[in-house]
Amino acid sequence: MPDALRDQVTARRQRLFVAIDAGPALAAVVGRAVTLVRPLAERAAWAGKGPAHVTLVFLGNVEEDRVPALCAVLRDTVGRHRALTLRVHGARVFGRPTHPSALGAAIEGDREPLAALVADLRRVLAPLGFKPEDRAFHPHLTLARARGDRGDPGLARCVAALRDHDFGVIHAKKITLYRSDLHPSGARHHVVEQCTLGPRS
């Protein structure tokens, strides 16, 4: 496919996800922690190309003309939920315990209100054609992913190293709709819309 045509096709669709931005201070702490444990899983694909964030809903490839309606629904829904305080502490893995597929920093604090927000987002997005995920929501801040389908035992070693690590606190007042552009060097995230959470009750 010629480059000009490929750019046209790409421009019509955006790879989107909804997340909580962890903020630059916490992202810096994450970066230092990753530097310490990275030698334990050198083959893994480590995060760090975009802002540190807690993904709430992954939307996939979305046509550009659907984005304004999507943003309107997100603003209305997010505004019905209060601001959140989330502590990022310790780590967990996903997939097989001995050969995990991913490593994430664990989320504590306002987990129940966060789960209610995610459930509401899944509910309102379903009529727009976004199929809700079947799996339960486990909030985390992704640190690394295994390369390939067999998992990475090195990520299991990282959990022990980060078990008591305190990354800090996220005072979430906004929810962000991100566009993720895939590049050979990794994904680059761009803010599409920010939706303000309601005041704490």
Side-chain angles (χ1 to χ4, degrees):
M1 180 185 295
D3 288 345
L5 182 56
R6 184 183 296 111
D7 291 344
Q8 251 187 348
V9 172
T10 302
R12 293 182 191 141
R13 297 173 71 86
Q14 299 182 8
R15 188 171 183 266
L16 303 177
F17 65 94
V18 181
I20 292 174
D21 188 341
L26 195 141
V29 176
V30 168
R32 290 193 291 271
V34 164
T35 300
L36 291 175
V37 299
R38 191 169 188 157
L40 299 176
E42 293 181 335
R43 292 181 297 175
W46 288 88
K49 296 295 182 182
H53 61 272
V54 180
T55 299
L56 306 183
V57 182
F58 180 72
L59 301 173
N61 293 317
V62 181
E63 294 82 359
E64 277 192 345
D65 58 5
R66 298 177 64 197
V67 174
L70 170 62
C71 290
V73 169
L74 290 177
R75 285 193 298 267
D76 180 63
T77 305
V78 168
R80 297 197 296 264
H81 293 262
R82 66 174 176 84
L84 303 166
T85 299
L86 306 172
R87 176 166 291 280
V88 187
H89 184 271
R92 60 166 298 167
V93 291
F94 297 87
R96 291 179 294 166
T98 58
H99 289 71
S101 58
L103 170 72
I107 301 296
E108 301 173 356
D110 288 336
R111 286 176 57 98
E112 288 188 12
L114 177 61
L117 169 61
V118 171
D120 205 10
L121 288 171
R122 289 180 175 182
R123 179 185 62 80
V124 299
L125 291 171
L128 297 181
F130 299 104
K131 184 180 178 181
E133 292 186 79
D134 295 330
R135 59 187 177 183
F137 174 63
H138 296 290
H140 64 281
L141 194 154
T142 300
L143 301 177
R145 297 185 184 278
R147 297 184 189 273
D149 299 330
R150 296 185 177 181
D152 188 333
L155 295 179
R157 294 191 291 270
C158 294
V159 171
L162 294 173
R163 191 178 308 281
D164 298 317
H165 194 86
D166 189 4
F167 294 91
V169 176
I170 302 172
H171 297 288
K173 298 180 180 180
K174 294 182 179 181
I175 301 300
T176 303
L177 176 65
Y178 280 107
R179 185 184 83 243
S180 179
D181 296 336
L182 301 180
H183 297 270
S185 59
R188 297 174 189 171
H189 305 318
H190 306 274
V191 174
V192 176
E193 181 80 7
Q194 287 193 312
C195 308
T196 303
L197 289 156
R200 294 184 66 90
S201 56

